[in-house]
Amino acid sequence: MEVVTRREEVRARVAAARRAGQRVGFVPTMGAFHEGHLELMRRARQECGFVVVSLFVNPTQFSPGEDLARYPHDFAGDCAAAAGVGVDLLFAPAAEEVYPPDFQTYVEVEGLSRGLCSDRRPGHFRGVATVVAKLLNLVQPDRAYFGEKDFQQLRVVQQLVRDLDMPVEIVPLPTVREPDGLAMSSRNRYLSPAERRAATALYRGLLAARARRAQGARDPAELAQAVLAALASEPLVRPDYVEVRDAATLAPVEWIEKPVVVAVAAYVGQARLIDNIVLE
Ligand code: AMP
């Protein structure tokens, strides 16, 4: 695996792969790899001749007071893990490489960026859309792989490439979980052992909502209540939001007639964790 930090190096390597007739797969990340990241890379490896991973903790998607400065990092471990699953190129730019001093263009996906995580993180999806647009333009992959764990982000990215006619196929992958159900996240590293145990309440709540739906519930408030009850059983968990939204549009629903996503965000100690489940 080759590690590069400059944009022109990425362009040159991808151009060479293209000349060799290879399909290019791309996995954007913020590092501190876990099995969720590695699953995206493995899928890219299976489907593409040349696999590019970016490792960039994107400052524009963090709000003031968030964990940008202390976001987990393990560059040596990440390099070893990415090489281990057969990644060809790791692009790990400095912030000034992505955002030179005269940078002034931002991308905003309007409707899908509202509500859910954006209420607590204003400007977050503008930062996500901007960096994803830049990275897709730079790498110009045939396929780019994203996790359903970040469901609103996935929808924003799908809309972005559709609206801007970007010639890339967005491939979504299911959330990878710990054996006890906790969605894998780089931010799980912030949790103390007691917080780590309490954090399972998010997925337990989502499973309770799924059970209610399977029993025939169609009132979104009833599903949200099931999640909140699970969160309330853990004193170390402070709910941020529980929402039931249309799985395609993320619009609020008053009565469940189409697939919905049940999305939850909660604080556990220093960590703000998110999870979701799609109910067909
Ligand atoms: P991040 O490094 O957190 O920005 O995540 C990089 C990519 O990995 C995004 O597409 C995430 O949705 C995806 N991802 C993060 N956690 C998981 C997980 N537990 N399962 C599947 N994909 C994930």
Side-chain angles (χ1 to χ4, degrees), residues 26-268:
F26 177 47
V27 182
T29 80
M30 299 206 302
F33 294 157
H34 48 68
E35 275 297 311
H37 297 115
L38 298 181
E39 274 300 299
L40 300 182
M41 297 176 205
R42 287 189 194 106
R43 175 68 87 87
R45 175 74 288 161
Q46 283 166 13
E47 296 182 354
C48 306
F50 192 71
V51 176
V52 184
V53 170
S54 64
L55 194 174
F56 179 60
V57 182
N58 174 35
T60 64
Q61 70 187 69
F62 287 77
S63 305
E66 284 191 334
D67 56 348
L68 172 62
R70 61 189 177 89
Y71 193 80
H73 57 272
D74 174 12
F75 188 67
D78 286 352
C79 287
V85 295
V87 170
D88 295 298
L89 186 70
L90 183 73
F91 174 49
E96 312 78 65
E97 179 71 11
V98 180
Y99 299 109
D102 63 341
F103 186 88
Q104 51 191 297
T105 304
Y106 291 87
V107 179
E108 201 149 344
V109 178
E110 294 190 339
L112 287 167
S113 294
R114 297 206 192 97
L116 299 171
C117 278
S118 74
D119 291 344
R120 193 68 58 194
R121 312 186 74 187
H124 170 68
F125 289 108
R126 179 182 193 248
V128 168
T130 300
V131 80
V132 170
K134 272 185 70 82
L135 290 167
L136 290 176
N137 279 336
L138 180 64
V139 177
Q140 302 195 355
D142 299 285
R143 293 185 183 167
Y145 299 80
F146 289 83
E148 288 178 351
K149 150 110 184 337
D150 301 280
F151 198 80
Q152 189 175 15
Q153 167 174 288
L154 169 65
R155 285 282 179 271
V156 163
V157 169
Q158 287 172 324
Q159 191 71 36
L160 163 77
V161 304
R162 197 178 313 147
D163 288 351
L164 297 186
D165 301 308
M166 292 183 153
V168 56
E169 183 186 342
I170 302 300
V171 182
L173 260 74
T175 302
V176 179
R177 299 180 179 282
E178 300 284 356
D180 63 6
L182 176 66
M184 290 198 183
S185 164
S186 302
R187 289 188 168 98
N188 293 349
R189 299 186 188 197
Y190 296 145
L191 301 172
S192 72
E195 290 162 355
R196 169 67 188 77
R197 283 191 295 276
T200 57
L202 279 75
Y203 189 55
R204 273 188 277 128
L206 295 174
L207 291 181
R210 184 168 76 183
R212 293 275 180 91
R213 180 71 194 87
Q215 288 155 11
R218 287 179 176 271
D219 182 355
E222 195 181 331
L223 303 196
Q225 192 46 49
V227 182
L228 285 168
L231 300 185
S233 73
E234 293 287 356
L236 293 176
V237 176
R238 288 169 290 132
D240 178 2
Y241 67 73
V242 178
E243 300 255 11
V244 180
R245 298 286 183 102
D246 184 289
T249 65
L250 298 188
V253 289
E254 291 184 355
W255 194 247
I256 299 174
E257 273 153 343
K258 286 190 284 190
V260 292
V261 58
V262 184
V264 57
Y267 294 92
V268 188

